[in-house]
Amino acid sequence: TGDTTQWIDVKVTGDYYVVVRDFYGCPGNDGDTVERRCPVFLEIPNAFTPNADGINDVFFVVANDVVEMDLKIYNRWGAEIYQSQSITDTWDGYMNGKPVPEGVYVVLLSYSGYENGQLKQFNQRIPLHLIR
């Protein structure tokens, strides 16, 4: 970064290399990888309305600092109707190109992230109301 202070705040994760000289001009160097280890932030809606009005038409999870995730949605009979491993994916209330009926579905969310600097696994079960 070209910074010469004792502490350097980096904005981008990645590999960094440091070169220093002591009071007598003797060089030293080291490198390390900077990774985010911030606590996971999640917001999971419990309802959405896939009716093409432009408001809450898709279900999605708002998240920061999730390392890995697996999201599954089941109907009331336990059949899996949606699955994703990407935090940016959305569900539009369709299965195999057809709209699923209005009702309550179950979201099972398994994800990993940091808590107190330690990588942890989390599991959540959330009811999801699909309103047409």
Side-chain angles (χ1 to χ4, degrees):
T1 66
D3 202 327
T4 59
T5 61
Q6 183 177 0
W7 299 97
I8 300 171
D9 288 329
V10 295
K11 305 276 188 250
V12 179
T13 60
D15 295 329
Y16 287 83
Y17 188 71
V18 178
V19 178
V20 297
R21 292 195 186 277
D22 69 9
F23 182 73
Y24 300 104
C26 297
N29 58 61
D30 199 0
D32 206 349
T33 300
V34 175
E35 299 175 334
R36 281 183 62 96
R37 292 193 176 182
C38 297
V40 172
F41 169 82
L42 269 165
E43 284 187 353
I44 306 166
N46 63 0
F48 77 116
T49 58
N51 57 9
D53 68 354
I55 302 169
N56 296 322
D57 285 331
V58 293
F59 168 81
F60 62 97
V61 176
V62 176
N64 286 328
D65 299 305
V66 170
V67 176
E68 291 182 348
M69 67 147 266
D70 184 40
L71 182 140
K72 295 179 181 177
I73 300 176
Y74 296 88
N75 65 16
R76 70 178 76 205
W77 297 281
E80 183 180 302
I81 59 171
Y82 178 79
Q83 189 275 335
S84 176
Q85 293 182 330
S86 173
I87 203 68
T88 60
D89 286 349
T90 63
W91 180 49
D92 60 3
Y94 281 72
M95 180 179 165
N96 299 325
K98 297 180 182 176
V100 300
E102 182 174 290
V104 179
Y105 293 81
V106 174
V107 176
L108 295 182
L109 181 61
S110 176
Y111 60 97
S112 61
Y114 287 91
E115 182 177 82
N116 298 322
Q118 300 294 314
L119 186 62
K120 289 188 158 188
Q121 185 70 30
F122 302 92
N123 296 295
Q124 290 191 2
R125 179 185 169 116
I126 303 103
L128 175 64
H129 300 265
L130 188 150
I131 304 164
R132 293 219 180 260

